[in-house]
Amino acid sequence: MNEHNDTTNSDDDISKLYAQASTEQPPLHIDDAILAAAQTLIKDKPSATIAFSRRWAVPVSIAAVIIMSVSLVTLIQHEIPEELTSLPESVLSQAAPKKPALTNSEAKESLLARMREDSAAIALKDKQPIALARKPAASKRSEKIVSSPSPKTLVAAEEEIAFTESLAPLEPQADTPQVASVDISATPRKEKPKRKFAPRQMENKAAMAAFMATAPTPSCESLPISDCLVSLQCTLTTKDKGYICRKARNHCEQDFSQKTGTAEQCTTKPNCQFIPGKCFCPPDVICVCGGGPPRMCVPG
Amino acid sequence: MGNYAKGDTEAFNALYTRNKAALYRYFLRQTQFSNQAEELSQDVWTKVISARKNYRSSAKFTTFLYQIAHNHLIDHIRKQSVRIVEVQDTSTTELDPPVRTKEQPENELESQQGQALILNLVKQLPQAQREVFILKEEAGLDLHDIASITATGVETVKSRLRYALAKLREGLVETYERT
């Protein structure tokens, strides 16, 4: 107990001794600098406008992004059909089918004629009550159409006519290049033919098909190897330890794909001989050997 | 501090006047260099001024101040790659006996000698023990606050303080016995 008290007294003595010894003070210039900084920072309080802008910066940014996104999406949805109609007049005129499109008056006349035929048919059916009794709903619908063709019905009929007309140039034709038909089939809009502006879209597609048909095809020399192999108009041959793509020179090379063409496809052509590829390595394949000629269909 | 945050600069002046010397000496004992102590204490006060709005009145101001000081000291040590030298060789700690002038009475001389001795002994303490001792003596913090500032347990702080005091006692006794 005494030892503990001695220790405590000793600790107090140490504290006293340290307190007497520890008298260093920071220099006055430090005091002045710190006090001045404290006063300056208090005076330079951030203004209310800065606080306001900081408070609203994030919500305003989020709102701006949302508005921009929505307006952009809306704009894109409206812009796509406009882009297709912005093709040159010459292209649009070429895209028009050989059969001239019906004018509004003609379309109406045609529709009315069809309706008259329908009403005549219904009139005949009216004389057969048993048959009508079996299908009351159908008869009601027909009667409606016959009794009063509304303006909406006429507009729908117009669209239907335009849609039917626009389908004509899209049908596969022998003269139409394959590339053009492939591009149209790849158009994603084809999936939605029942939309409100579907007939207009189909017109645009027809215009696009005509545009693709008349557009200048790239020369064989400019094609890369992979495209040249697929092309039916071009032939890939070896030259100076390399490959060149040139235009097909004869009927054997014409319409023969060096990538997928078979010996049978070649030999079915008159006076044509199939030469299999020898140590040919396509550009996108890793091969053991390469540099040799690709498969060819040559006269012989 | 709360008053200062509201714009009362006089409140800060009072706080500064009350704590400036202790904080300066905290850094002086830890770094052993007055220029570094000045720089560090100025940095800490600047941080205190900047952090006036984050101050929570639930904590004591001294705890808040020395928490910043402790963290800043650690950063300083890391940045400067300063390794605080733990002097183990007691032979270097021997003080030259102060020269007695004609005007100085004998007890004053002894007192001066004792003060120089205690500062020298504090300098030789291990860094962790020295920090605990200084926080207790200079800042007047209790063991819980010191534990909170140094991010250690209360028992660890108690143990460090006990060791520090024991070493100081031994050093004083040894020196007096020799003289």
Side-chain angles (χ1 to χ4, degrees), chain B residues 114-177:
Chain B
Q115 289 169 16
L117 179 64
I118 188 82
L119 291 181
N120 207 4
L121 290 171
V122 168
K123 196 191 288 182
Q124 292 163 39
L125 288 174
Q127 195 268 334
Q129 293 176 18
R130 183 169 59 230
E131 184 172 33
V132 170
F133 177 78
I134 292 166
L135 285 172
K136 183 179 175 294
E137 295 299 331
E138 293 286 1
L141 296 171
D142 60 23
L143 298 180
H144 289 275
D145 289 340
I146 296 170
S148 165
I149 288 167
T150 56
T152 51
V154 177
E155 289 302 317
T156 309
V157 171
K158 201 187 288 183
S159 169
R160 283 176 183 172
L161 186 62
R162 200 185 312 127
Y163 277 114
L165 289 169
K167 279 182 185 172
L168 292 174
R169 202 181 306 122
E170 281 172 22
L172 286 170
V173 169
E174 194 179 324
T175 309
Y176 282 126
E177 280 176 357

Side-chain angles (χ1 to χ4, degrees), chain A residues 71-238:
Chain A
S71 55
L72 199 65
V73 168
T74 315
L75 195 69
I76 287 169
Q77 279 183 347
H78 287 289
E79 281 286 321
I80 289 170
E82 294 301 323
E83 279 174 10
L84 288 173
T85 54
S86 64
L87 287 169
E89 278 296 320
S90 59
V91 174
L92 287 170
S93 63
Q94 284 175 6
K98 289 170 187 173
K99 198 161 53 175
L102 293 176
T103 60
N104 282 349
S105 58
E106 286 171 344
K108 283 175 188 172
E109 282 172 13
S110 166
L111 182 71
L112 288 171
R114 258 198 285 167
M115 287 176 175
R116 279 187 206 107
E117 286 171 12
D118 290 345
S119 63
I122 288 163
L124 282 173
K125 281 181 183 176
D126 283 343
K127 293 174 182 175
Q128 300 168 353
I130 299 166
L132 271 178
R134 285 178 186 170
K135 297 177 180 176
S139 71
K140 274 184 187 173
R141 200 162 50 234
S142 304
E143 280 166 6
K144 262 188 186 174
I145 294 167
V146 173
S147 60
S148 59
S150 65
K152 278 185 182 176
T153 318
L154 282 174
V155 170
E158 280 176 21
E159 286 189 354
E160 189 186 345
I161 290 159
F163 177 70
T164 314
E165 291 298 324
S166 64
L167 281 177
L170 284 178
E171 286 171 7
Q173 293 173 9
D175 297 339
T176 310
Q178 196 181 354
V179 176
S181 62
V182 167
D183 281 355
I184 289 169
S185 64
T187 308
R189 294 273 173 183
K190 195 182 177 184
E191 298 295 320
K192 301 172 183 174
K194 289 183 180 177
R195 284 179 67 170
K196 195 179 173 184
F197 50 89
R200 189 180 170 192
Q201 276 192 336
M202 294 311 292
E203 282 173 18
N204 293 334
K205 284 180 182 176
M208 184 60 78
F211 175 75
M212 294 300 288
T214 56
T217 51
S219 65
C220 292
E221 286 77 12
S222 65
L223 287 178
I225 291 176
S226 55
D227 291 352
C228 188
L229 286 170
V230 178
S231 172
L232 301 176
Q233 314 298 327
C234 305
T235 302
L236 186 76
T237 58
T238 53

Side-chain angles (χ1 to χ4, degrees), chain B residues 77-108:
Chain B
I77 290 168
R78 285 181 186 152
K79 207 183 290 177
Q80 301 282 325
S81 301
V82 172
R83 178 166 288 216
I84 296 172
V85 180
E86 314 289 355
V87 183
Q88 300 294 335
D89 186 4
T90 52
S91 64
T92 59
T93 67
E94 284 186 19
L95 290 171
D96 295 330
V99 180
R100 185 182 171 189
T101 57
K102 285 179 183 174
E103 294 80 20
Q104 276 183 320
E106 194 175 349
N107 57 354
E108 192 179 336

